């Protein structure tokens, strides 16, 4: 599923957190892990420019798998990087880091860049929607295997991160093997090579605001309130009393999904399917976004311009033309 920029994090996937903790950097610049060896996950949900969504932001055909929600592309998702572009930028970043490290006589193989997998927090704008996911993880995100972090030598850390790695202030000068270490180390050099000007992009703040405000507005929509009531009635037939899916998520706070949580989450998904909740909620959310995007189209175009520039630089680095 493709909603909009949301940070992947472990633990309970609060719907409010999913919506409100949006990342401006996700549309203005390609956000990566602070540690180049860590498989990086994007804070940006895949864009809707891959042909799967209609031009007006409406949803494509639902998935034939009844345990999963339809792949829905909100209008504002147009201003997020696509998974293929995220992968391209990640590969280019790794290539620059490896080349930079080699200048200091260091052999460095970056961990291959990977894009977020299904079930990450970006899929949770409307709560858990996969029956299989709910049965295993409840409202929690699937546990991710911790990445391996080989111990770097002092020289590797200096070249990789810059003077901060050896306790010096950020931006101070440092040399290694007779060569000046670039600002921010090889990681900083890669960030600049792929992303270009790291300056703030006001359009990113506009996009994030639209994402949050459309979600909040959708909650007050009579059509959404009606489907929430139907969902609540459905949950009562299964022995659970919640006014809406958000309150169901909020009733659990354990570090790991309990058996009770899994039962509620599974019932939640079934009732969403029975009441057609997600398509109704999505339609309201998307409708608000379209009205908010229209007067900001010229401003938001700056995001697409930056993405095109990033992709062009990444292709040049990789020789992908």
């Amino acid at each position: 599923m493709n909603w909009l920029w949301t940070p992947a994090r472990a633990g309970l996937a609060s719907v409010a957190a999913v919506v409100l903790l949006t990342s401006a950097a996700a549309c203005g610049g390609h956000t990566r892990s602070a540690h180049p060896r860590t498989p990086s996950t994007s804070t940006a949900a895949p864009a809707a420019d891959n042909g799967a969504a209609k031009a007006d932001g409406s949803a494509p055909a639902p998935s034939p798998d009844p345990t999963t929600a339809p792949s829905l592309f909100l209008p504002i998702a147009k201003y997020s990087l696509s998974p293929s572009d995220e992968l391209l930028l990640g590969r280019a970043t790794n290539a620059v880091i490896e080349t930079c490290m080699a200048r200091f006589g260091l052999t460095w193989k970056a961990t291959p860049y990977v894009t977020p997998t299904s079930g990450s927090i970006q899929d949770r704008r409307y709560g858990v929607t996969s029956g299989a996911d709910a049965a295993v993880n409840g409202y929690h995100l699937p546990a991710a295997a911790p990445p391996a972090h080989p111990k770097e030598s002092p020289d590797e850390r200096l070249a990789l991160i810059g003077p901060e790695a050896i306790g010096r202030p950020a931006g101070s000068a440092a040399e290694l093997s007779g060569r000046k270490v670039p600002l921010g180390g090889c990681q900083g050099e890669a960030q600049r090579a792929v992303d270009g000007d790291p300056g703030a992009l006001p359009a990113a703040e506009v996009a994030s605001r639209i994402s949050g405000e459309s979600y909040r507005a959708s909650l007050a929509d009579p059509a959404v309130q009606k489907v929430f009531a139907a969902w609540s009635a459905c949950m009562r037939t299964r022995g659970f009393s919640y006014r809406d899916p958000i309150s169901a998520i909020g009733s659990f706070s354990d570090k790991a999904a309990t058996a009770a949580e899994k039962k509620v989450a599974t019932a939640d998904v079934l009732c969403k399917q029975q009441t057609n909740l997600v398509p109704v909620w999505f339609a309201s959310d998307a409708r608000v976004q379209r009205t908010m995007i229209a007067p900001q189209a010229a401003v938001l175009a700056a995001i697409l311009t930056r993405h095109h520039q990033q992709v062009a630089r990444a292709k040049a680095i990789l020789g992908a033309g």
Side-chain angles (χ1 to χ4, degrees):
M1 279 173 290
N2 299 277
W3 311 118
L4 183 62
W5 319 296
T6 47
R9 67 190 176 109
L12 201 62
S14 163
V15 173
V18 168
V19 176
L20 299 179
L21 293 179
T22 54
S23 171
C27 45
H30 183 57
T31 303
R32 300 180 191 85
S33 167
H35 195 302
R37 283 191 176 180
T38 303
S40 178
T41 57
S42 168
T43 59
D49 59 0
N50 59 3
K54 299 178 183 178
D56 64 357
S58 58
S63 165
D65 183 351
T67 65
T68 61
S71 293
L72 305 177
F73 294 82
L74 285 166
I76 200 65
K78 173 182 178 181
Y79 303 98
S80 295
L81 286 162
S82 69
S84 60
D85 286 346
E86 282 281 352
L87 181 59
L88 179 72
L89 268 58
R91 288 176 53 220
T93 298
N94 283 349
V96 174
I97 290 173
E98 291 174 5
T99 300
C100 174
M101 296 290 279
R103 292 204 308 267
F104 299 100
L106 302 170
T107 301
W108 185 268
K109 187 65 177 176
T111 300
Y113 184 88
V114 295
T115 53
T117 57
S118 176
S120 67
I121 199 169
Q122 66 194 30
D123 295 335
R124 302 293 186 91
R125 186 170 176 97
Y126 308 123
V128 64
T129 54
S130 163
D133 188 11
V136 174
N137 302 299
Y139 290 113
H140 285 67
L141 295 175
H149 291 300
K151 182 69 173 179
E152 304 99 348
S153 69
D155 282 355
E156 286 175 333
R157 287 190 59 78
L158 175 58
L160 190 64
I161 302 171
E164 290 178 271
I166 55 176
R168 295 184 188 175
S172 60
E175 288 191 358
L176 181 63
S177 301
R179 292 178 176 270
K180 183 178 179 180
V181 176
L183 181 66
C186 290
Q187 180 179 340
E189 180 172 303
Q191 185 87 30
R192 291 185 293 275
V194 176
D195 294 333
D197 180 8
L201 187 64
E205 297 177 8
V206 173
S208 290
R209 175 173 56 80
I210 289 173
S211 175
E213 290 186 7
S214 71
Y215 179 88
R216 288 187 289 270
S218 72
L219 295 176
D221 186 331
V224 174
Q225 288 293 313
K226 182 177 179 180
V227 80
F228 279 176
W231 174 91
S232 181
C234 174
M235 291 292 282
R236 284 196 296 273
T237 67
R238 289 172 166 78
F240 306 112
S241 179
Y242 298 102
R243 68 180 182 276
D244 55 44
I246 301 171
S247 61
I249 296 172
S251 66
F252 296 97
S253 59
D254 299 275
K255 291 183 178 180
T258 63
E261 179 185 326
K262 294 175 185 178
K263 289 181 180 178
V264 171
T266 299
D268 178 349
V269 173
L270 291 173
C271 286
K272 281 188 174 105
Q273 294 170 351
Q274 182 175 315
T275 60
N276 206 37
L277 184 147
V278 172
V280 171
W281 196 351
F282 166 84
S284 174
D285 202 355
R287 186 164 53 248
V288 175
Q289 286 193 2
R290 284 192 289 272
T291 64
M292 297 180 71
I293 288 172
Q296 299 287 349
V299 174
L300 292 170
I303 296 173
L304 300 181
T305 298
R306 178 169 287 191
H307 287 175
H308 293 155
Q309 292 170 343
Q310 291 171 310
V311 169
R313 282 190 290 266
K315 286 183 177 179
I317 290 168
L318 296 172

